[in-house]
Amino acid sequence: MQLPRWWELGDPCAWTGQGRGTRRMSPATTGTFLLTVYSIFSKVHSDRNVYPSAGVLFVHVLEREYFKGEFPPYPKPGEISNDPITFNTNLMGYPDRPGWLRYIQRTPYSDGVLYGSPTAENVGKPTIIEITAYNRRTFETARHNLIINIMSAEDFPLPYQAEFFIKNMNVEEMLASEVLGDFLGAVKNVWQPERLNAINITSALDRGGRVPLPINDLKEGVYVMVGADVPFSSCLREVENPQNQLRCSQEMEPVITCDKKFRTQFYIDWCKISLVDKTKQVSTYQEVIRGEGILPDGGEYKPPSDSLKSRDYYTDFLITLAVPSAVALVLFLILAYIMCCRREGVEKRNMQTPDIQLVHHSAIQKSTKELRDMSKNREIAWPLSTLPVFHPVTGEIIPPLHTDNYDSTNMPLMQTQQNLPHQTQIPQQQTTGDFRLTTFQRFEASIMKLFIRF
């Protein structure tokens, strides 16, 4: 916390004149100094005490104006300061707030709000909440303590409770005293109780609701629970009618006669209203039957002692590795026997294959090899696949038609019978229809003659 300049000089005296002069302190100056010092330390160490009742809604507003005077430079009376201020709240000695207490602040330029419904377990126990204010412009901080003294309420809890879902409100808007008072007035006009209290307020986001789109001024929605000491009115009971339940299942708005009393300011989703009658609720507590897995009251966990016997895992290791390894070895031997020892062999296959089929197969292999060689080198000799392998009549091997230095650029792609000097002319048969054998038929005849020869 930054103190005034005259506090840094060492005593509450002011310097006079243009330069260094004598120190003097007037009574007015002394009074101002004491008042200022008292106000500073009172703000730093001030605590607030509040006395909410158990089971009744508690709302405490953290006003920014209350903390502005603690951040330097200290504003003068009437001066407007609009620094962004945020708050952090936690239970003293703990990182978070109690489970029943919530906190909300929309922007650094709006007030923060602490709200919730105190529980009966905390009655008589002071709950100290640490409130730390952060000035986002100067990065100064100020801390206050809020002491919540929870008191026991009469007729707690109220026997009849109703929870409404208001669609056109956010939680900070509903926590305003004027708005909450208007809602309780509307409920009292419909319910007509002798005693009516707001029990709790919960944002729809805390119930799994979605953040609304920033269009058409949509709101998050808020759940408001109220309690009364008289049974529910006939208007509130209309929600339980079969017709209205059917309309709610079809996502239609039910027909409620008293809805017009809320419609002027509050849009209530009557399908989400909850009516709870505490007088008819049966206790669901079941006595715990203690067994082997449940410790008795006051029991403690006793870890095992350090004097444990060592265990030999060698046998487990062998069983874990030896058995799968043996099974894998047997399967490998069976597969090796099938793949290696049961093969017929290439020689037996060739003996059972006709010679003409072997010749064709060999020719295809040679042609494939030559084509692959040609794709690698375009300047190789004339491919042997274009030459006859043997003489069609004598069966002798025919030498190449051309030498290696023969120019093949002028050779036609397909040679006729007259262009082949070593080819034997087969007499062509003529019939009355002047029919001639084709080249393919002549090739088949040559193959048949070779087959007969062998």
Side-chain angles (χ1 to χ4, degrees), residues 253-326:
E253 187 175 357
V255 179
I256 306 297
T257 57
C258 57
D259 180 59
K260 57 184 179 181
K261 298 182 179 180
F262 298 90
R263 184 67 64 175
T264 56
Q265 188 176 359
F266 307 100
Y267 293 161
I268 297 179
D269 189 349
W270 293 98
C271 292
K272 294 183 178 180
I273 189 174
S274 175
L275 304 178
V276 180
D277 188 355
K278 295 287 186 178
T279 60
K280 297 182 180 180
Q281 287 186 351
V282 181
S283 177
T284 58
Y285 174 76
Q286 296 181 359
E287 184 179 358
V288 178
I289 301 176
R290 302 189 180 279
E292 297 179 356
I294 302 178
L295 296 175
D297 293 338
E300 297 180 355
Y301 172 72
K302 296 181 180 180
S305 60
D306 298 335
S307 60
L308 294 177
K309 297 181 179 180
S310 61
R311 182 179 177 182
D312 187 10
Y313 292 95
Y314 182 73
T315 305
D316 298 339
F317 175 76
L318 292 180
I319 295 176
T320 303
L321 295 182
V323 175
S325 301

Side-chain angles (χ1 to χ4, degrees), residues 44-318:
V44 174
H45 301 285
S46 63
D47 295 339
R48 285 190 177 184
N49 288 269
V50 291
Y51 300 89
S53 300
V56 181
L57 179 64
F58 164 72
V59 179
H60 181 76
V61 180
L62 305 180
E63 299 178 354
R64 296 173 62 253
E65 296 295 335
Y66 179 77
F67 292 89
K68 283 182 180 179
E70 300 188 11
F71 299 117
Y74 301 100
K76 299 179 181 179
E79 184 178 355
I80 299 176
S81 176
N82 193 26
D83 292 343
I85 299 176
T86 58
F87 301 95
N88 183 33
T89 60
N90 63 281
L91 182 64
M92 178 175 287
Y94 295 88
D96 202 356
R97 299 174 299 276
W100 61 270
L101 189 62
R102 298 186 180 92
Y103 167 75
I104 186 172
Q105 183 185 16
R106 288 291 177 179
T107 64
Y109 297 95
S110 61
D111 297 335
V113 182
L114 286 169
Y115 66 100
S117 180
T119 58
E121 290 79 6
N122 297 324
V123 172
K125 301 177 182 179
T127 303
I128 303 177
I129 304 298
E130 294 181 344
I131 302 174
T132 306
Y134 297 90
N135 189 322
R136 296 301 178 180
R137 183 182 65 85
T138 61
F139 301 100
E140 296 285 340
T141 61
R143 176 169 293 179
H144 284 239
N145 292 334
L146 178 66
I147 303 176
I148 304 176
N149 302 281
I150 302 176
M151 310 298 292
S152 61
E154 300 178 0
D155 299 334
F156 173 81
L158 294 174
Y160 302 96
Q161 299 178 2
E163 187 177 52
F164 299 85
F165 177 65
I166 304 175
K167 298 184 291 185
N168 65 325
M169 287 287 177
N170 289 334
V171 62
E172 70 275 8
E173 298 174 351
M174 196 66 198
L175 290 173
S177 59
E178 300 82 4
V179 179
L180 184 59
D182 294 341
F183 178 76
L184 292 178
V187 174
K188 189 173 183 179
N189 190 17
V190 172
W191 201 338
Q192 298 295 332
E194 296 181 1
R195 184 181 177 186
L196 181 68
N197 289 331
I199 299 177
N200 199 3
I201 292 181
T202 308
S203 174
L205 301 182
D206 297 334
R207 297 284 189 88
R210 295 183 177 181
V211 179
L213 296 175
I215 56 176
N216 300 331
D217 196 20
L218 296 178
K219 304 293 184 178
E220 299 172 357
V222 61
Y223 289 89
V224 181
M225 178 176 287
V226 297
D229 55 352
V230 297
F232 303 108
S233 63
S234 58
C235 175
L236 299 178
R237 291 287 187 183
E238 292 179 0
V239 183
E240 299 176 352
N241 294 338
Q243 295 81 3
N244 289 330
Q245 293 293 328
L246 178 62
R247 295 176 66 89
C248 288
S249 62
Q250 297 175 354
E251 297 183 357
M252 300 175 61
E253 187 175 357
V255 179
I256 306 297
T257 57
C258 57
D259 180 59
K260 57 184 179 181
K261 298 182 179 180
F262 298 90
R263 184 67 64 175
T264 56
Q265 188 176 359
F266 307 100
Y267 293 161
I268 297 179
D269 189 349
W270 293 98
C271 292
K272 294 183 178 180
I273 189 174
S274 175
L275 304 178
V276 180
D277 188 355
K278 295 287 186 178
T279 60
K280 297 182 180 180
Q281 287 186 351
V282 181
S283 177
T284 58
Y285 174 76
Q286 296 181 359
E287 184 179 358
V288 178
I289 301 176
R290 302 189 180 279
E292 297 179 356
I294 302 178
L295 296 175
D297 293 338
E300 297 180 355
Y301 172 72
K302 296 181 180 180
S305 60
D306 298 335
S307 60
L308 294 177
K309 297 181 179 180
S310 61
R311 182 179 177 182
D312 187 10
Y313 292 95
Y314 182 73
T315 305
D316 298 339
F317 175 76
L318 292 180

Side-chain angles (χ1 to χ4, degrees), residues 432-451:
T432 55
D434 195 13
F435 176 76
R436 295 177 179 272
L437 292 176
T438 61
T439 305
F440 181 76
Q441 291 175 341
R442 290 196 297 271
F443 178 73
E444 286 184 345
S446 301
I447 296 300
M448 291 301 295
K449 290 179 179 180
L450 179 63
F451 183 77

Side-chain angles (χ1 to χ4, degrees), residues 11-29:
D11 55 10
C13 300
W15 292 93
T16 59
Q18 299 296 330
R20 188 185 291 262
T22 60
R23 301 180 181 179
R24 35 178 206 177
M25 181 170 54
S26 62
T29 306

